[in-house]
Amino acid sequence: MNYSKIIKSLQDKKIEPIYFLTGEETFYIDKISTYIANNILNEDEKQFNQTILYGKEITIEDVILEAKLFPSFGEKRVVIVKEAQHLRNIDKLEDYIKTPQKSTILVICYKGKYLDKRKKISKLINQKCVLLESKKLYDTQIVKWIEDFIIQNGYSINQKSCQMLNEALGNNLSNIYNELKKLLALPIKDKKITDNIIEKYVGLSKDFNAFELQDALSQKNVYKSYYITKHLLLNQKTNPIEKIIGLLFSFFQKVVTLHSLQDKSKNNIASVLKINPFFITQYVEAAKKYTTKELYHIITLLKNYDLRAKGVNNKNTTKASLIRELISRILHAEK
């Protein structure tokens, strides 16, 4: 089940004995476990019948023992196991999964990884439990997530502003959620999130950011590329070289893929490259400006400069000098 279906079923009081929440994206795991902690029992019942356990501090036997206890002064018990990925011998949960205590709601928060699907317990969880597999979102999915969140809260935003927010807030959904909540709490005129609003309250320049640098490079606009780079380097804490290289590496890799496509329709480009159709023009422009040979050379450059930024084969060159040098070499890539 996905997050929305699980929350809807909980809201409809369709409660199951075991929830196994796993995956790399911890945001939805936290949201579901928090909802259960806050909404299944009333405040008086929580005092006697709600238990929070931590995988680093307990054994699997402790979990089973807690889950098998009957509720006191109520009909249900809630047992939430956080950091369950640290539990040893989780396979011992198999017997409990087969015959769970019906008065207990057991929530297993298994963050950062997945159980081996070949194991018997994985198959049991899939058959007997409410299972959430929360995968990390692609950058393009995060941009869509930001857009949906803002619209669902009664505000409007364009695609470029969504991209700016993604760049400013990173790819951790928990951080993005918290920052967006703060942003939407501000008195914003007409409930419209614009580039200027983001620049004013989030702190990312609408003209000088890594996304604008990518756009300038896609056009091989030498002056604009150097000008944006100069301003990015004024705040290296917000614009670390590693982040810039990562963004450009992903961009130029996708331009290589675009070169190889037989079907260059907008829908196919968006589907294969996993990009928002709004940004297709930028990729198409780059494919016109850079040959495949140039692109392979650029990707090699990006790998080398990433290593140098991390101190490999680099003793004296500053990060600012590295990024200036890299941008120059991309613009004048070997044909």
Side-chain angles (χ1 to χ4, degrees):
M1 293 179 72
N2 63 31
Y3 165 77
S4 298
K5 287 183 178 179
I6 293 173
I7 292 295
K8 179 67 166 59
S9 67
L10 288 167
Q11 291 171 339
D12 292 341
K13 307 300 181 184
K14 296 175 182 176
I15 301 168
E16 300 296 331
I18 306 174
Y19 292 80
F20 198 94
L21 315 176
T22 184
E24 298 169 315
E25 180 48 73
T26 62
F27 175 76
Y28 291 114
I29 295 174
D30 290 336
K31 290 282 281 182
I32 292 171
S33 62
T34 299
Y35 184 91
I36 291 173
N38 292 342
N39 294 281
I40 301 301
L41 305 179
N42 63 40
E43 291 305 315
D44 291 334
E45 290 172 329
K46 287 177 189 177
Q47 188 174 357
F48 297 100
N49 293 318
Q50 186 156 292
T51 301
I52 309 293
L53 304 172
Y54 292 87
K56 284 184 176 180
E57 302 170 358
I58 58 168
T59 66
I60 194 65
E61 288 80 9
D62 295 326
V63 174
I64 295 168
L65 178 62
E66 283 287 344
K68 285 185 174 180
L69 291 177
F70 288 97
S72 302
F73 313 109
E75 296 181 359
K76 293 286 186 183
R77 291 191 81 246
V78 173
V79 179
I80 299 174
V81 185
K82 298 188 175 184
E83 301 174 359
Q85 68 275 12
H86 297 295
L87 279 170
R88 295 183 180 181
N89 304 316
I90 198 168
D91 291 11
K92 290 183 179 181
L93 200 60
E94 288 176 10
D95 287 340
Y96 182 82
I97 292 172
K98 291 175 186 176
T99 54
Q101 174 65 270
K102 291 184 179 180
S103 59
T104 296
I105 299 142
L106 175 62
V107 184
I108 307 289
C109 303
Y110 197 88
K111 292 183 176 181
K113 54 184 179 179
Y114 303 94
L115 288 175
D116 187 337
K117 292 185 182 297
R118 296 169 297 180
K119 288 189 172 185
K120 183 180 177 183
I121 188 171
S122 294
K123 295 174 183 177
L124 270 174
I125 289 169
N126 197 39
Q127 293 168 3
K128 303 282 188 179
C129 306
V130 175
L131 172 63
L132 173 79
E133 293 185 325
S134 187
K135 298 178 180 178
K136 277 285 186 186
L137 300 184
Y138 297 112
D139 286 344
T140 50
Q141 291 175 308
I142 290 175
V143 171
K144 181 68 167 60
W145 191 95
I146 290 171
E147 180 184 27
D148 289 345
F149 181 86
I150 288 171
I151 291 172
Q152 287 164 9
N153 280 274
Y155 290 73
S156 63
I157 189 169
N158 63 34
Q159 288 295 317
K160 183 183 175 184
S161 295
C162 282
Q163 187 75 37
M164 285 179 66
L165 280 171
N166 181 204
E167 185 177 333
L169 303 178
N171 59 5
N172 183 299
L173 283 190
S174 296
N175 291 342
I176 293 171
Y177 174 83
N178 291 332
E179 293 303 318
L180 288 180
K181 292 288 281 186
K182 293 176 189 175
L183 182 64
L184 298 187
L186 296 169
I188 297 171
K189 185 179 179 181
D190 299 326
K191 289 197 168 185
K192 186 174 183 180
I193 308 298
T194 63
D195 299 357
N196 290 331
I197 291 289
I198 294 168
E199 185 169 19
K200 181 177 180 180
Y201 293 110
V202 181
L204 184 73
S205 169
K206 66 180 185 294
D207 298 313
F208 308 117
N209 56 69
F211 176 72
E212 291 299 326
L213 174 61
Q214 176 181 295
D215 187 53
L217 288 171
S218 73
Q219 303 170 44
K220 275 197 176 179
N221 187 321
V222 176
Y223 173 77
K224 189 176 178 182
S225 297
Y226 287 152
Y227 191 62
I228 293 171
T229 301
K230 176 184 174 182
H231 282 271
L232 287 177
L233 292 174
L234 295 176
N235 190 348
Q236 293 181 53
K237 187 174 181 180
T238 304
N239 305 293
I241 184 174
E242 295 83 0
K243 177 182 174 182
I244 295 171
I245 290 175
L247 179 76
L248 295 181
F249 185 83
S250 175
F251 174 71
F252 283 110
Q253 264 197 328
K254 288 175 180 175
V255 179
V256 170
T257 302
L258 176 54
H259 265 290
S260 68
L261 293 180
Q262 295 294 321
D263 178 1
K264 289 186 170 62
S265 65
K266 284 190 174 182
N267 286 341
N268 191 55
I269 291 172
S271 174
V272 174
L273 301 189
K274 293 184 172 61
I275 60 174
N276 191 301
F278 180 84
F279 300 107
I280 287 174
T281 303
Q282 190 179 92
Y283 289 82
V284 171
E285 184 68 21
K288 292 177 182 177
K289 297 288 186 180
Y290 296 89
T291 65
T292 303
K293 184 178 179 181
E294 287 177 310
L295 290 166
Y296 280 125
H297 178 65
I298 288 168
I299 287 170
T300 301
L301 284 174
L302 288 163
K303 288 179 179 178
N304 290 338
Y305 276 83
D306 182 54
L307 289 172
R308 290 180 67 189
K310 293 170 181 173
V312 179
N313 298 323
N314 176 41
K315 293 182 179 180
N316 301 314
T317 309
T318 65
K319 290 188 176 183
S321 296
L322 283 175
I323 196 67
R324 282 193 290 264
E325 186 179 308
L326 171 62
I327 298 306
S328 176
R329 295 186 69 178
I330 287 174
L331 289 165
H332 302 94
E334 295 176 358
K335 288 186 168 30

